[in-house]
Amino acid sequence: EHKQTINFGAGPAKLPPSVLLQAQNELLNYSGTGISVLEMSHRSSDFNKIINKTESLLRELLNIPDNYKVLFLQGGGSGQFSSVPLNLIGLKEDRCADYLVTGTWSAKAAKEAEKYGKVNVVHPKLDSYTKIPDPSSWTLNPSASYVYYCSNETVHGVEYNFTPETNGVVLVSDMSSNFLSRPVDVSKFGLIFAGAQKNVGCAGVTVVIVREDLLGHALKECPIVLDYKVQAEMNSLYNTPPCFSIYIMSLVLEWIKNNGGSAAMEMLNKQKSSMIYDIINASNGFYVCPVDTACRSRMNVPFRVGKKEGNEALEKEFLDGASKRGMISLKGHRSVGGIRASLYNAVTLEDTKALLLPLLVIYVLT
Ligand code: PMP
């Protein structure tokens, strides 16, 4: 018996089936050109239409103000860990940047920034990534070039439900794993970046939204392909961009638009994640999510089975039960173990409901 596969992967992640079908339909002959987007010159007028359409859809979906540039770059989220300091740490002479370190990804970003300037971690070091220190405990440096945070920590399932107040210092956010999962007031940020492979497409392209006045401050050793000013002036075409990934993003953005935009995504994502957290909360400690309730991620739900540290036999039983029902990629990140269900935009309510069955089955049987 063939069961439909449900992909709960943390990224690359599920894409809307209609997007895949459209890409398939257009693969051999894109819009009457007789060729595939994979084979198309990035300087052709056809590709120009694709990249411009992708940008205008993003501007529309996020209400991006006119004084922001939108870039489509290679190098992934990790490429931005170095691009951000290379471009922005020189905004002020001190070359100092404030970092909030609330999980694996912000920790990696802070470590990379140390190569280019001084990094100040604004709160006491966390011994586990399960909470966001209260803003009253942060010591922000008023002469920092920028304040950096990761709005959703994919590995630990820690998500900000507020925008940090920086008292005028440029705010930078890694939104790789919750981009377009809810509305965001772009005007509060100096820079937002996000890899596409979770909520808005496939691997290969990273979106950068950057306020114009921040361009032109790159360190002199900044590689030219990472220089936001150069890429902004060239409409992300200084060199060959990830053309096909940009095309896939345009299809996903259209899908988001047709499904109600970022506000509709937010409602859906809240509903989906609540279903899982409700079961965890009602399980009398059988399922354990270590994350503070105030910052539990709507995108990545990490939990242990059986007890706080996880009962490996029961976790295997859960994964086997899920796998028998066609559900894949539910294993927690190798650094934390346990289970992680990622519920990005393309994961439907029905997909999420399906997960309740294997959750209830071992709960009831144990
Ligand atoms: N930031 C976050 C929040 C991520 O989840 C990831 C990847 N999972 C990255 C950065 C790194 O992205 P990439 O693998 O594209 O370099």
Side-chain angles (χ1 to χ4, degrees):
E1 185 197 357
H2 173 77
K3 285 196 194 64
Q4 218 185 334
T5 299
I6 307 180
N7 182 0
F8 290 102
K14 183 180 176 184
L15 285 164
S18 62
V19 163
L20 294 175
L21 278 172
Q22 189 176 345
Q24 182 184 45
N25 280 330
E26 296 179 335
L27 187 64
L28 297 189
N29 181 359
Y30 174 74
S31 184
T33 57
I35 60 168
S36 163
V37 176
L38 289 160
E39 306 162 292
M40 192 176 277
S41 164
H42 58 296
R43 311 256 175 231
S44 65
S45 67
D46 289 306
F47 184 71
N48 246 286
K49 279 185 216 142
I50 292 174
I51 195 169
N52 290 340
K53 185 173 131 203
T54 314
E55 175 171 346
S56 63
L57 279 165
L58 259 183
R59 287 192 177 276
E60 180 184 342
L61 288 167
L62 284 173
N63 270 314
I64 302 176
D66 289 343
N67 63 325
Y68 285 75
K69 294 287 187 189
V70 177
L71 311 177
F72 301 100
L73 304 178
Q74 309 206 39
S78 306
Q80 291 307 312
F81 296 165
S82 13
S83 299
V84 164
L86 279 164
N87 280 275
L88 302 182
I89 210 158
L91 280 172
K92 291 187 186 158
E93 230 170 272
D94 287 356
R95 285 202 192 180
C96 194
D98 278 352
Y99 276 72
L100 285 150
V101 178
T102 54
T104 300
W105 294 111
S106 49
K108 286 193 181 196
K111 189 151 178 265
E112 189 66 10
E114 280 171 4
K115 294 181 183 169
Y116 308 107
K118 278 166 277 179
V119 165
N120 169 41
V121 177
V122 308
H123 54 81
K125 192 174 175 332
L126 298 169
D127 26 79
S128 68
Y129 293 130
T130 54
K131 63 175 181 206
I132 294 169
D134 192 84
S136 64
S137 72
W138 303 354
T139 28
L140 295 167
N141 170 8
S143 55
S145 293
Y146 61 88
V147 177
Y148 180 105
Y149 79 111
C150 175
S151 62
N152 184 67
E153 289 284 359
T154 322
V155 172
H156 295 88
V158 172
E159 184 175 29
Y160 287 72
N161 63 12
F162 63 96
T163 305
E165 175 53 62
T166 64
N167 306 309
V169 175
V170 169
L171 182 61
V172 174
S173 184
D174 173 1
M175 296 195 185
S176 292
S177 52
N178 64 357
F179 192 60
L180 266 170
S181 70
R182 62 183 181 195
V184 51
D185 181 355
V186 174
S187 72
K188 289 187 173 165
F189 296 84
L191 186 145
I192 291 167
F193 73 83
Q197 66 267 32
K198 295 149 199 311
N199 273 316
V200 289
C202 64
V205 62
T206 309
V207 177
V208 174
I209 301 170
V210 57
R211 218 173 60 211
E212 270 167 4
D213 60 288
L214 303 177
L215 302 174
H217 298 273
L219 303 182
K220 67 173 188 326
E221 50 275 55
C222 178
I224 192 157
V225 292
L226 304 185
D227 189 323
Y228 298 139
K229 180 162 189 273
V230 171
Q231 292 287 12
E233 281 170 359
M234 306 286 291
N235 199 25
S236 304
L237 297 171
Y238 169 76
N239 63 325
T240 316
C243 302
F244 196 77
S245 303
I246 294 170
Y247 158 70
I248 294 291
M249 189 190 289
S250 75
L251 301 185
V252 175
L253 296 179
E254 236 163 23
W255 175 86
I256 292 177
K257 183 178 164 180
N258 293 336
N259 283 278
S262 58
M265 293 299 124
E266 178 176 45
M267 253 176 50
L268 202 61
N269 289 325
K270 229 181 240 166
Q271 253 182 306
K272 289 183 298 184
S273 54
S274 297
M275 280 200 293
I276 309 297
Y277 286 122
D278 285 350
I279 295 246
I280 292 172
N281 294 341
S283 73
N284 288 317
F286 184 76
Y287 292 115
V288 184
C289 172
V291 181
D292 249 23
T293 50
C295 56
R296 285 184 174 179
S297 170
R298 303 156 307 130
M299 300 279 100
N300 314 97
V301 181
F303 61 90
R304 305 298 311 223
V305 186
K307 57 178 181 188
K308 216 170 126 217
E309 316 76 48
N311 174 324
E312 279 183 28
L314 286 175
E315 287 177 346
K316 185 175 176 306
E317 204 178 312
F318 168 77
L319 290 170
D320 288 347
S323 159
K324 265 203 320 236
R325 296 174 174 88
M327 296 169 220
I328 63 161
S329 297
L330 283 161
K331 227 177 159 153
H333 190 270
R334 60 193 184 282
S335 67
V336 295
I339 315 293
R340 172 176 54 173
S342 295
L343 309 172
Y344 300 123
N345 288 343
V347 175
T348 62
L349 263 181
E350 288 66 40
D351 292 342
T352 313
K353 272 184 200 147
L355 189 57
L356 301 184
L357 188 62
L359 279 169
L360 290 173
V361 166
I362 38 168
Y363 177 63
V364 170
L365 293 185
T366 308

